[in-house]
Amino acid sequence: MPNSGSPEAPPFEPYKVKVVEAIPFPSREERESALHRAGFNLFNLTSDEVVIDLLTDSGTSAMSDRQWAALMLGDETYAGSRNFRHFEETVREITGFPHIIPAHQGRAAENLLFSSLVKPGDVVPNNMHFDTTRSHVIHNGGQPVNVAIAEAYDAQREHPFKGNVDLARLQAYLDARVQAPVPLVMVTLTNNTGGGQPVSLENLRAVSALARHAGVPLYFDMCRWAENAYFIRLREPGCAQRSIAEIGRAMFDLADGATMSAKKDGLVNIGGFVAVRDGNLAAKLKEQLILFEGFPTYGGLARRDLEAMAVGLREAMELKYLTHRVGQVAYLAREIVAGGAPVFLPAGGHGVYLDVDRFLPHLAPDDLPGQALAIELYREGGVRTVEIGAIMFGDAPGSGPAPPELVRLAIPRRVYTASHLKYVADTVLAVWKRRAEIRGVRMTHRPERLPHFTARFEPK
Ligand SMILES: *Cc1c(COP(=O)(O)O)cnc(C)c1O
């Protein structure tokens, strides 16, 4: 691809534009009043108030022309749609798991799996739970524990696979399973809570061996499995010539099943699934599915959505696509670091995470510095981001060390160009220049579960 030889150049977009959507440009006054109306929670902004939306990479991808064409092949049959067969074949081929259960998004898949496996008093280890997996474990009476390697908690420490599991800590929970049962081990690929960092094949093999030895099933939170496989190809010895599909299968061969939000590496706006090896478990999951989501050949989705997912899952494994995708994240990180602002290193697969402790060292934890920084990025340039730290994860003591305090700039797939990313970097650096004057915020409304979505704040 053009300029792939120059690490400094912005990544070349491997597609051309067919449909455009205008970007709103709210004035400074409009942004200020939007912040007040939103209770200083960026989830309460409307899209008209946002210039560049890096709130999430979830369900915000641009679909390809082939995916849009796939929607027209929708066979909206209640039971036995041919779109389901195509989707099922695709996921079987990618994962090797025989039983494929569609769901409308990742947390619906988690609800099916965790409500079937997790009981009160259980412990569920994961490199780092994402907010929804953590909340579903708690909702079922279990205790989520994070067992990522020590490097995962140190924003400035470089490590090629910072998402890896600390095997000794995992073993300790497995050893204690007589007192505190472990119904499953989970590994999140890539580790969204800890900077979007990948897990190595070598580490997955070791985790799989420990879990198997203990007789505990291993599941993947596979939302970003293709990005994880791309990093394995780049960084793990012996993998440089292997395709993403091959690396993916090597990963899945080590597990008993997976939950997926196809709003990430499925390149769709809605969709997900659970995939498992165990036929008895699959039967149980399908009963739950019928109760909560719908018949097993559509799982809460229009059948055309299954068709678009089948196409998107394959596109997500294309090297040209992944080179650009991960290249965009690296480019944004480079631009921010070049201006002196601190980011979580190395850059991850789906976003740049600002290292809040180093960005705002004058703020105390109860100043909610991550939220304060996210507010300033919006105030400065209309850039919407999300705090991944004390607010998202601060309400569960005893689940392992707290994840680092970060602000995530998640990059939607195939949506923004290099000049948009340059604007984002300039916005971050403008805030960096006036960081000393940034004050903390306090929470004025604290919801019981998943607080970051609906909390309200005010400046201190
Ligand atoms: C997005 C996400 C989920 C939940 O998926 P939804 O589609 O948002 O319900 C679970 N785990 C991880 C790692 C995620 O990034």
Side-chain angles (χ1 to χ4, degrees), residues 56-59 104-110 126 128-134 136 186-193 221-224 259-264 269-272 350 353 408 413 453:
T56 178
D57 62 325
S58 179
H104 77 275
Q105 63 180 78
R107 71 199 69 184
E110 290 160 11
N126 194 328
M128 279 189 200
H129 285 274
F130 188 59
D131 61 344
T132 56
T133 59
R134 182 170 161 281
H136 274 289
M186 207 151 197
V187 179
T188 307
L189 307 168
T190 59
N191 179 11
N192 187 5
T193 303
D221 180 340
M222 62 170 281
C223 296
R224 299 177 182 83
T259 55
M260 174 72 177
S261 169
K263 298 167 73 176
K264 302 4 179 320
N269 304 121
I270 195 75
H350 65 291
Y353 293 60
R408 185 186 68 184
R413 293 166 179 79
F453 286 121

Side-chain angles (χ1 to χ4, degrees), residues 124-291:
V124 180
N126 194 328
N127 46 351
M128 279 189 200
H129 285 274
F130 188 59
D131 61 344
T132 56
T133 59
R134 182 170 161 281
S135 298
H136 274 289
V137 171
I138 293 170
H139 184 64
N140 286 288
Q143 187 194 356
V145 294
N146 292 340
V147 293
I149 55 173
E151 287 86 342
Y153 296 90
D154 183 345
Q156 297 304 309
R157 199 127 140 232
E158 294 266 0
H159 185 290
F161 293 104
K162 226 170 164 173
N164 278 359
V165 170
D166 182 328
L167 300 172
R169 295 195 52 230
L170 172 61
Q171 186 63 57
Y173 284 111
L174 292 173
D175 288 344
R177 70 188 185 281
V178 183
Q179 303 89 313
V182 177
L184 74 159
V185 171
M186 207 151 197
V187 179
T188 307
L189 307 168
T190 59
N191 179 11
N192 187 5
T193 303
Q197 301 292 316
V199 182
S200 71
L201 255 185
E202 183 191 23
N203 189 253
L204 290 177
R205 278 192 206 103
V207 169
S208 176
L210 294 185
R212 204 149 291 178
H213 188 254
V216 174
L218 171 63
Y219 286 85
F220 292 156
D221 180 340
M222 62 170 281
C223 296
R224 299 177 182 83
W225 105 97
E227 290 166 9
N228 198 93
Y230 180 75
F231 281 117
I232 288 175
R233 188 175 193 273
L234 279 187
R235 299 179 184 169
E236 194 150 350
C239 293
Q241 304 305 323
R242 302 174 77 183
S243 70
I244 298 302
E246 271 179 278
I247 295 169
R249 269 306 284 272
M251 288 156 44
F252 293 118
D253 284 349
L254 299 165
D256 297 283
T259 55
M260 174 72 177
S261 169
K263 298 167 73 176
K264 302 4 179 320
D265 279 356
L267 289 167
V268 287
N269 304 121
I270 195 75
F273 56 84
V274 198
V276 298
R277 280 194 209 290
D278 177 349
N280 292 328
L281 175 61
K284 203 165 150 189
L285 295 177
K286 282 182 195 170
E287 283 178 26
Q288 290 280 99
L289 182 79
I290 293 171
L291 190 59

Side-chain angles (χ1 to χ4, degrees), residues 327-385:
Q328 276 206 322
V329 177
Y331 169 70
L332 177 58
R334 271 201 313 276
E335 289 293 310
I336 294 172
V337 168
V343 308
F344 191 92
L345 295 172
H350 65 291
V352 173
Y353 293 60
L354 300 177
D355 177 357
V356 177
D357 292 340
R358 285 177 181 80
F359 208 113
L360 299 175
H362 60 288
L363 296 189
D366 71 358
D367 290 326
L368 305 175
Q371 186 63 22
L373 181 52
I375 291 167
E376 290 309 319
L377 294 172
Y378 174 72
R379 181 175 269 141
E380 180 67 36
V383 175
R384 175 154 69 168
T385 58

